[in-house]
Amino acid sequence: MPVQTVEAPTEARGSSLPGFAVAAIREEGRWRCVRLDPDALVDLDAAITELRGLRSTGAVVGLLDVDDEFFVLLRPVPGGVSLMVSDAAAALDYDVAADVLDLLRVELPPDEDALDDDPWPEGDLAILADLGLPPEELNVLAGDFELYPDEQLAVIGRRCGFGEELAKLVGS
C-alpha cells in the first residue's frame, strides 16, 4: 500500500531533521545496530524501504528519534509494516508522523485545541512484545513526558537487548 503524504506545516520539508534513524538487527542471537539514511526522519517510505532492504533471518526494528520531539518504531512484517508513534499529535507538524497515522488510518481531531499536552501514543503497542517489551510498558514509556525520545529509545533498546549496540552507534 503506497503511503500518501499529508501536507503538514514544517520548515524542514525536504531536508533531514535533528535526531537519528537506526535499524536494530538480530541475527543468530546477536544484535547489531546500523544507521539509516537521515531522510528516514522526514520520509516514512524511505525508512520502510531501507528497513526492508536489511534482510535478516531474525528481527529488524527501525527506531526514529525525530527532532527530539517524538519517536517512531517500525518493523517489517509479511505483507506490510508494523508501526508505532510515541505522540500522534506530532502529525500536525511533521510529515513522517502524519504518514504513520495515514498508514494506521488514524485521524487527528479536527480541532487542534482538542489535543491536550500529554503524549498520545498510537499504533501497534505490541510491536516489541516478542522481544521483551510488553505493550503496557511501551505505552507507559511513550507517555512519559519527562524523558526525551532518545532516552525513551535507550530504555527500549535495553529492554529488548540491543541497548549497548544502540548506545555505541548513537553516541558516536
Side-chain angles (χ1 to χ4, degrees):
M1 169 188 321
V3 175
Q4 297 176 351
T5 303
V6 172
E7 291 300 318
T10 178
E11 296 175 15
R13 188 180 320 283
S15 64
S16 64
L17 291 169
F20 61 82
V22 171
I25 306 156
R26 185 174 179 144
E27 291 178 319
E28 299 178 13
R30 297 186 57 116
W31 285 100
R32 67 182 172 95
C33 289
V34 298
R35 284 195 186 275
L36 297 175
D37 189 291
D39 285 345
L41 296 175
V42 293
D43 183 356
L44 187 62
D45 279 337
I48 292 170
T49 300
E50 194 168 354
L51 280 177
R52 285 190 177 136
L54 299 171
R55 305 224 184 267
S56 172
T57 57
V60 175
V61 179
L63 306 110
L64 310 178
D65 167 5
V66 183
D67 202 18
D68 285 331
E69 293 292 328
F70 65 98
F71 69 84
V72 175
L73 299 175
L74 308 93
R75 193 160 178 196
V77 295
V81 64
S82 184
L83 297 163
M84 185 263 171
V85 62
S86 64
D87 188 0
L92 294 170
D93 298 313
Y94 296 89
D95 289 344
V96 71
D99 290 345
V100 169
L101 294 187
D102 278 352
L103 280 178
L104 294 172
R105 294 188 173 108
V106 172
E107 292 186 27
L108 289 173
D111 181 9
E112 199 173 314
D113 294 333
L115 298 171
D116 58 23
D117 291 334
D118 294 332
W120 171 18
E122 188 64 66
D124 183 3
L125 293 172
I127 190 170
L128 302 173
D130 64 321
L131 301 176
L133 187 62
E136 301 81 17
E137 191 174 334
L138 180 56
N139 189 40
V140 169
L141 182 61
D144 188 344
F145 61 89
E146 292 185 15
L147 294 176
Y148 285 101
D150 64 326
E151 296 169 320
Q152 293 167 315
L153 291 173
V155 171
I156 290 168
R158 286 192 300 274
R159 290 288 286 126
C160 294
F162 56 84
E164 285 183 36
E165 293 297 317
L166 179 62
K168 284 181 205 173
L169 185 66
V170 173
S172 61

